[in-house]
Amino acid sequence: MDKNFWYLKNCDLFERLSQDQIAHVERNSSVRNFARGNMVYLPTESSDSVYLLLSGRIKLYHLTSEGKQALLALIEPGELFGELAILGGGEREEYAEAMLKSSILRIPGQIIQDLMEHHATVSLGVTKLMGLRRQRIEQRLKSLLFRSNRDRLTHLLLELAEKYGRFTSEGVLINIKLSHQELASIIGSTRETVTVLLGELQDERSIDIQKRHIILRKARYLAHSIDFKLTPAFQSKPDQSGEFILRGAEA
């Protein structure tokens, strides 16, 4: 399981552990593979384990009373999820589904609890993880309550660009394919509304859509329109870099 050892060692939560400690985590963990669309866990299941995504992509979501998905988070390789087990178990509160063919390392919650007791860095890492997840959910809730559908969609596109964006000659390519229904699930809207709004943004030349990939042509303009603070990565790049120059695309 040398490959899994590498994944554990390169996970932020475990990076300061010794090789013996990493090996102990590995020996007590197990790998599971999931095809696209398979469920990793369901609500009401016992939360006795934490999961580290080795490859693929996982989505966490709730189902509304109308049966619609309310997307909570997208999990990428190297990220932990199902952290409720660290707090002592209980039942799961959300669905976890493989969006792509995925490989997951299942780590008993007790192992993480033991590490937290003896390593301040692990305890701090878990606290940060939970704090960030809560902050994201709170931000999404505020967005649902106080923003229009267009502003919520714009905010989401900018968030996705920061996480999955790649600079190209045409703009910031959001290097993840999400259907209109999946976008609607995240912002609490309908597929039809998202389709209309994406069409409007495309007509305004703020975005381009190519083979289900979205390219932000006017990232800073969109950010300014909803008072979204862009990270330094979205500042103008040197002309000689050969990469996308935000100010040029927005001219």
Side-chain angles (χ1 to χ4, degrees):
M1 293 181 68
D2 291 342
K3 186 176 181 181
N4 300 327
F5 186 98
W6 181 88
Y7 276 112
L8 284 167
K9 189 64 178 176
N10 284 274
C11 177
D12 290 344
L13 194 62
F14 306 119
E15 61 182 355
R16 295 192 181 182
L17 297 183
S18 68
Q19 290 195 354
D20 287 343
Q21 291 165 335
I22 292 287
H24 174 68
V25 175
E26 183 188 36
R27 283 195 302 270
N28 288 277
S29 303
S30 58
V31 176
R32 295 184 62 190
N33 296 308
F34 296 85
R36 178 181 178 181
N38 282 5
M39 303 304 301
V40 180
Y41 59 74
L42 302 168
T44 73
E45 287 187 9
S46 175
S47 57
D48 57 356
S49 302
V50 180
Y51 297 93
L52 173 64
L53 183 59
L54 306 181
S55 63
R57 180 176 298 125
I58 301 296
K59 64 178 178 180
L60 307 179
Y61 62 90
H62 285 301
L63 286 181
T64 68
S65 57
E66 294 83 19
K68 294 181 179 180
Q69 287 187 15
L71 199 57
L72 301 175
L74 299 177
I75 307 298
E76 297 297 323
E79 291 187 64
L80 287 172
F81 64 101
E83 64 273 9
L84 183 63
I86 301 173
L87 300 178
E91 294 183 343
R92 301 286 183 190
E93 297 179 345
E94 73 280 339
Y95 294 84
E97 179 183 332
M99 295 183 70
L100 305 172
K101 181 181 178 181
S102 300
S103 182
I104 296 171
L105 187 67
R106 177 183 175 275
I107 308 171
Q110 186 60 52
I111 295 293
I112 306 296
Q113 291 175 25
D114 292 343
L115 288 172
M116 289 174 65
E117 289 181 8
H118 296 94
H119 299 278
T121 55
V122 175
S123 183
L124 181 60
V126 170
T127 301
K128 286 183 176 180
L129 171 65
M130 292 183 171
L132 285 172
R133 292 271 165 83
R134 178 176 177 179
Q135 183 181 48
R136 289 173 185 171
I137 292 173
E138 288 178 346
Q139 288 175 342
R140 187 151 295 149
L141 178 59
K142 290 178 182 178
S143 180
L144 290 173
L145 291 174
F146 303 115
R147 293 182 182 271
S148 66
N149 281 314
R150 179 185 170 112
D151 285 355
R152 295 203 300 269
L153 179 60
T154 299
H155 193 279
L156 173 61
L157 294 179
L158 290 166
E159 280 187 331
L160 293 173
E162 289 193 327
K163 186 171 184 178
Y164 302 102
R166 179 167 60 84
F167 291 99
T168 74
S169 60
E170 297 177 286
V172 183
L173 170 68
I174 299 176
N175 199 25
I176 178 177
K177 290 183 179 181
L178 294 174
S179 68
H180 291 192
Q181 183 58 63
E182 287 170 328
L183 293 172
S185 297
I186 298 174
I187 67 170
S189 186
T190 64
R191 179 183 58 80
E192 293 79 8
T193 297
V194 166
T195 299
V196 170
L197 292 173
L198 288 174
E200 290 178 358
L201 290 169
Q202 194 167 18
D203 290 342
E204 297 166 9
R205 297 185 60 77
S206 294
I207 69 170
D208 278 336
I209 302 176
Q210 300 176 6
K211 298 180 180 178
R212 286 186 60 193
H213 278 111
I214 297 175
I215 300 173
L216 302 189
R217 292 178 54 84
K218 301 181 180 181
R220 289 190 308 194
Y221 166 77
L222 291 172
H224 179 73
S225 71
I226 62 169
D227 195 26
F228 183 98
K229 293 183 179 180
L230 290 169
T231 62
F234 278 79
Q235 303 308 312
S236 296
K237 289 181 174 292
D239 292 352
Q240 65 268 26
S241 69
E243 293 185 308
F244 171 61
I245 303 170
L246 285 172
R247 61 176 181 273
E250 295 178 13

